[in-house]
């Protein structure tokens, strides 16, 4: 079911048959480079599908498939996890299949994701955690209304090294809800 749209893309619910699409994405080391997840088999990707389903079931978030309006082709996924209903905040995320990088999709689609967060999830604050070395992501985020609030230095230990993570946020008060 389609949930929302931008000029060229739809956001629709992730369904079980998307496991191939999710596997294609989260088995690509260029896509998962800064992620805590990477799946080397279709079977293993079931864990990610279960996670998407558990978010909705537990009211902790929701991820959607991003599809091309003309072709209905799956181009990536975006959504929320870690919804905190007391403090009305959540973490937002997005990944795109590599063949769709560099087309400005994040710039076009992320505002629609923000709109859903403020309107349907009644959030006051939407946060993004970006590994400081993830230049592609940071360049994309510069193109939208998402304030970089700072760097959490050496806040995670990964692959034998400390990593810095940048924190971004947008507030309901500064977002023009449609
Ligand atoms: C982060 C991501 C969603 C960016 O979305 P996007 O729609 O491609 O963003 P943009 O089109 O604005 O491109 C952002 C930067 O990526 C780089 N880029 C663009 N096309 C690229 C390509 N084909 N290959 C490598 N890098 C490319 C460019 O540096 C570009 O910056 P510029 O436009 O200032 O030159 C995408 O890179 C991605 O899915 N990355 C893997 C998952 C991830 O790291 N997600 C983190 C959350 S943001």
């Amino acid at each position: 079911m389609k949930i929302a749209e931008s000029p060229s893309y739809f956001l629709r619910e992730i369904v079980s048959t998307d496991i191939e699409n999710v596997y294609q994405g989260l088995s690509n080391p260029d896509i998962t480079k800064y992620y805590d997840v990477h799946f080397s088999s279709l079977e293993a990707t079931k864990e990610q599908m279960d996670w998407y389903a558990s978010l909705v079931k537990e009211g902790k978030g929701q991820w959607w498939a991003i599809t091309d309006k003309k072709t209905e082709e799956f181009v990536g996924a975006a959504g929320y996890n870690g919804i905190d209903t007391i403090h009305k905040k959540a973490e937002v995320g997005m990944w795109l299949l590599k063949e769709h990088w560099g087309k400005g999709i994040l710039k076009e689609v992320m505002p629609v994701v923000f709109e859903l967060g403020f309107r349907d999830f009644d959030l006051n604050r939407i946060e993004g955690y970006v590994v400081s070395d993830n230049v592609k992501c940071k360049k994309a985020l510069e193109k939208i209304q998402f304030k970089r609030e700072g760097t959490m230095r050496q806040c995670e230990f990964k692959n034998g090294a400390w990593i810095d993570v940048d924190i971004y946020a947008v507030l309901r008060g500064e977002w023009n809800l449609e």
Side-chain angles (χ1 to χ4, degrees):
M1 191 177 75
K2 296 189 177 68
I3 303 290
E5 61 187 286
S6 70
S8 313
Y9 300 95
F10 282 123
L11 287 176
R12 66 158 172 75
E13 285 178 2
I14 291 177
V15 292
S16 56
T17 49
D18 280 314
I19 190 166
E20 298 266 359
N21 295 321
V22 174
Y23 172 55
Q24 196 195 341
L26 300 183
S27 64
N28 181 328
D30 295 334
I31 294 173
T32 60
K33 184 172 179 186
Y34 299 105
Y35 277 172
D36 297 328
V37 294
H38 181 86
F39 301 101
S40 328
S41 72
L42 196 60
E43 183 51 34
T45 311
K46 197 171 173 318
E47 183 192 322
Q48 187 72 6
M49 303 307 283
D50 292 346
W51 182 70
Y52 290 139
S54 70
L55 285 175
V56 177
K57 199 153 148 262
E58 296 158 19
K60 285 289 179 201
Q62 173 138 31
W63 274 63
W64 299 280
I66 305 166
T67 61
D68 183 295
K69 269 187 173 175
K70 290 201 195 79
T71 64
E72 301 262 336
E73 185 194 352
F74 178 98
V75 301
Y80 295 101
N81 41 276
I83 288 183
D84 178 329
T85 50
I86 295 167
H87 307 298
K88 291 181 175 287
K89 61 181 181 177
E91 177 184 357
V92 72
M94 178 183 281
W95 57 266
L96 301 170
L97 295 178
K98 196 167 177 197
E99 59 263 39
H100 296 290
W101 287 6
K103 300 176 179 175
I105 295 176
L106 182 144
K107 181 179 178 207
E108 181 176 322
V109 173
M110 196 61 103
V112 176
V113 177
F114 289 165
E115 190 77 22
L116 287 170
F118 290 128
R119 196 192 60 214
D120 298 357
F121 291 97
D122 191 30
L123 298 175
N124 174 61
R125 176 181 162 88
I126 294 171
E127 297 177 332
Y129 298 97
V130 183
V131 172
S132 303
D133 294 348
N134 190 348
V135 177
K136 277 189 267 313
C137 175
K138 291 163 72 169
K139 280 189 167 180
L141 295 182
E142 281 164 17
K143 303 169 186 172
I144 61 170
Q145 190 188 345
F146 206 30
K147 183 177 170 48
R148 184 178 163 281
E149 295 181 330
T151 299
M152 298 180 284
R153 296 167 305 136
Q154 298 191 351
C155 69
E156 290 181 15
F157 194 70
K158 226 183 233 172
N159 309 325
W162 291 107
I163 59 166
D164 297 351
V165 172
D166 291 12
I167 181 162
Y168 291 74
V170 60
L171 305 177
R172 173 187 284 273
E174 58 196 17
W175 185 260
N176 310 320
L177 265 178
E178 277 164 17

